[in-house]
């Protein structure tokens, strides 16, 4: 009996799957909206042409009568364009309705149905509400990824004499950003803000490592065969930048307007503020003839809060990126140390 049941279930599934159809209906905006968009586009184009003719008239390239004649021609052309484009839109609407490609209720779209047998009878149907596209999207979002070199600015010490290796010291930043157009009808200035995690690492030179003694954290020489010492801080920050640069605007037939700065030059100026987690120091040394890797997690008197300034300049998704911590790495120290980072940045839509 169990075997027969399995075979029956298998046959039902076979017939059912063979009749599955995904039905996505083509929808278009209401004709009145299309008409108004067409009229607006043609009127805007006519205005540009009239302005060009007036410029030629002011430059004495054509006479007043010639200018009036040209204005009449472009006005007639735009009027015919409106008439023809509206007719095309109406015909397309009627075609879609006649061929069952346009729902009577444009807000409800049958997106999936299951049918069985030759009778084409629908067993299961899923209907979803179609959300009309936004006419204008003022805020978008992006993934942020950045990496590069890191070091520390120390009072009275030049970078060439830094106790930290240039090649081994680095930073990584990963976050999620929102990008908001500041002005209603211009994308020249954008406000970019979000949440990111920053990892700043220092590779310590000359057999030195960090030692915390009370409220002071200092570099001291390691008593033994130290191969490597690395110190890392992790910060959760809110970055905010004003980004500006050239942009494009595209108007679609359904009235949607899109502003973008894809593959354009850009500059970003701003900063960040956030909190630090516990610091981590990793030591690799030899003890009793064996290599030992030790990871130490503790406060090390690092600042609880961090803040700084940052800037980037680039093209498209890729930028050169620099950031500087105004808050010292360690609090209440005799000599302040501030992270300085330089690398590349990716803002991915």
């Amino acid at each position: 009996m169990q075997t027969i049941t399995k075979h029956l279930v298998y046959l039902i599934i076979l017939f059912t799957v063979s009749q599955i159809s995904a039905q996505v209906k083509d929808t278009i905006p209401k004709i009145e909206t299309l008409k108004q968009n067409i009229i607006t586009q043609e009127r805007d184009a006519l205005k540009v042409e009239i302005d060009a003719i007036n410029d030629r008239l002011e430059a004495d390239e054509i006479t007043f009568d010639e200018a009036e004649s040209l204005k009449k021609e472009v006005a007639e052309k735009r009027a015919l364009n409106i008439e023809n484009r509206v007719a095309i839109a109406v015909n397309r609407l009627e075609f879609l309705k006649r061929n069952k490609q346009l729902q009577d209720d444009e807000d409800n779209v049958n997106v999936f149905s299951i049918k069985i047998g030759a009778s084409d009878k629908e067993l299961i149907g899923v209907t979803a509400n179609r959300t009309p596209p936004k006419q204008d999207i003022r805020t978008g979002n992006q993934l942020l990824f950045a990496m590069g070199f890191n070091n520390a600015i120390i009072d009275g010490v030049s970078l060439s004499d830094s106790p930290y290796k240039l090649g081994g010291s680095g930073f990584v930043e990963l976050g999620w950003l929102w990008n908001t157009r500041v002005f209603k009808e211009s994308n020249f200035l954008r406000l970019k803000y979000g949440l990111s995690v920053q990892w700043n690492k220092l590779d310590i030179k000359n057999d030195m490592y960090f030692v915390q003694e009370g409220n002071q954290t200092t570099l001291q020489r390691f008593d033994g065969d130290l191969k490597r010492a690395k110190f890392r801080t992790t910060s959760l920050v809110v970055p905010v930048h004003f980004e500006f640069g050239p942009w494009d605007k595209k108007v679609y037939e359904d009235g949607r307007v899109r502003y973008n700065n894809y593959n354009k030059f850009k500059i970003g100026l701003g900063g960040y503020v956030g909190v630090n987690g516990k610091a981590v120091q990793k030591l690799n040394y030899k003890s009793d003839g064996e290599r030992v890797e030790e990871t130490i997690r503790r406060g090390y008197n690092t600042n609880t809060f961090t803040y700084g300034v940052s800037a980037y300049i680039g093209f498209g998704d890729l930028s050169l990126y620099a950031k500087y911590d105004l808050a010292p790495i360690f609090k209440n120290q005799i000599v302040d140390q501030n992270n300085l980072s330089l690398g590349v940045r990716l803002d991915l839509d």
Side-chain angles (χ1 to χ4, degrees):
M1 183 68 183
Q2 204 171 23
T3 303
I4 296 174
T5 303
K6 287 181 181 179
H7 281 80
L8 286 174
V9 170
Y10 174 78
L11 288 173
I12 292 173
I13 293 173
L14 181 64
F15 280 109
T16 302
V17 172
S18 68
Q19 296 297 325
I20 289 177
S21 63
Q23 301 174 351
V24 179
K25 301 297 184 179
D26 184 13
T27 60
I28 62 174
K30 293 181 180 179
I31 194 62
E32 291 303 323
T33 303
L34 276 176
K35 284 181 180 180
Q36 189 57 48
N37 290 335
I38 291 170
I39 292 171
T40 300
Q41 292 167 12
E42 292 295 333
R43 283 179 177 173
D44 290 344
L46 176 61
K47 184 178 182 300
V48 173
E49 291 177 328
I50 294 295
D51 289 342
I53 294 170
N54 288 333
D55 290 341
R56 294 179 62 190
L57 179 61
E58 292 178 4
D60 293 328
E61 295 180 4
I62 56 177
T63 65
F64 177 80
D65 291 338
E66 289 174 331
E68 291 301 310
S69 177
L70 289 173
K71 290 177 183 179
K72 183 178 179 182
E73 287 180 11
V74 295
E76 290 175 351
K77 179 185 72 174
R78 294 298 169 183
L80 287 173
N81 283 358
I82 292 172
E83 181 181 342
N84 294 153
R85 290 180 63 187
V86 169
I88 292 171
V90 171
N91 288 336
R92 180 172 180 267
L93 175 64
E94 293 302 322
F95 171 81
L96 292 173
K97 284 184 176 179
R98 184 168 56 253
N99 289 277
K100 309 297 184 182
Q101 292 177 331
L102 183 67
Q103 295 287 334
D104 292 331
D105 182 0
E106 293 181 353
D107 291 332
N108 295 322
V109 181
N110 185 9
V111 295
F112 184 77
S113 64
I114 297 178
K115 301 176 182 179
I116 185 169
S119 62
D120 209 34
K121 182 178 179 181
E122 184 176 287
L123 294 181
I124 300 175
V126 178
T127 301
N129 291 329
R130 181 180 65 86
T131 303
K134 291 184 178 181
Q135 296 299 96
D136 183 12
I137 299 177
R138 198 158 177 173
T139 298
N141 49 69
Q142 296 175 313
L143 174 69
L144 163 66
F145 176 74
M147 64 181 299
F149 299 105
N150 186 64
N151 215 295
I153 300 296
I154 305 173
D155 289 346
V157 180
S158 65
L159 276 176
S160 60
D161 296 326
S162 171
Y164 312 116
K165 298 176 184 178
L166 179 61
S169 303
F171 83 96
V172 174
E173 183 172 356
L174 181 65
W176 191 258
L177 304 176
W178 286 266
N179 190 356
T180 299
R181 193 172 76 248
V182 174
F183 301 112
K184 184 177 180 180
E185 296 188 3
S186 171
N187 198 34
F188 176 76
L189 181 63
R190 289 89 64 178
L191 180 62
K192 190 171 286 189
Y193 51 94
L195 191 67
S196 67
V197 180
Q198 296 178 351
W199 294 271
N200 296 313
K201 184 180 69 173
L202 297 171
D203 194 348
I204 309 170
K205 299 190 295 188
N206 303 325
D207 297 329
M208 307 288 283
Y209 76 117
F210 279 113
V211 176
Q212 179 181 346
E213 297 176 335
N215 62 355
Q216 292 294 307
T217 300
T218 58
L219 284 171
Q220 298 183 17
R221 188 168 297 279
F222 187 79
D223 185 16
D225 184 8
L226 180 65
K227 181 180 180 182
R228 178 167 293 176
K230 292 186 177 184
F231 183 81
R232 187 185 74 231
T233 56
T234 303
S235 308
L236 179 65
V237 302
V238 176
V240 179
H241 292 87
F242 281 105
E243 182 182 285
F244 53 93
W247 53 282
D248 289 325
K249 176 182 178 181
K250 186 172 183 180
V251 180
Y252 294 86
E253 287 190 359
D254 60 3
R256 288 178 296 131
V257 179
R258 294 294 181 264
Y259 296 80
N260 68 75
N261 59 308
Y262 301 127
N263 295 324
K264 301 288 185 181
F265 174 79
K266 62 182 179 183
I267 295 176
L269 300 172
Y272 49 91
V273 62
V275 295
N276 289 320
K278 279 192 174 182
V280 176
Q281 183 169 217
K282 292 186 176 182
L283 304 177
N284 188 316
Y285 57 90
K286 183 175 285 189
S287 177
D288 296 329
E290 295 183 357
R291 281 291 173 190
V292 178
E293 292 186 0
E294 184 178 1
T295 299
I296 307 169
R297 291 180 172 85
R298 62 181 304 180
Y300 282 105
N301 292 313
T302 54
N303 265 307
T304 304
F305 299 99
T306 185
Y307 54 91
V309 293
S310 54
Y312 55 90
I313 180 171
F315 183 86
D317 296 332
L318 186 64
S319 303
L320 290 175
Y321 181 43
K323 62 184 183 71
Y324 176 68
D325 285 359
L326 295 174
I329 301 173
F330 307 104
K331 59 187 175 183
N332 303 321
Q333 302 296 296
I334 298 173
V335 178
D336 284 338
Q337 302 186 48
N338 301 71
N339 277 309
L340 173 66
S341 306
L342 178 64
V344 294
R345 169 187 174 116
L346 281 170
D347 296 273
L348 300 173
D349 292 322

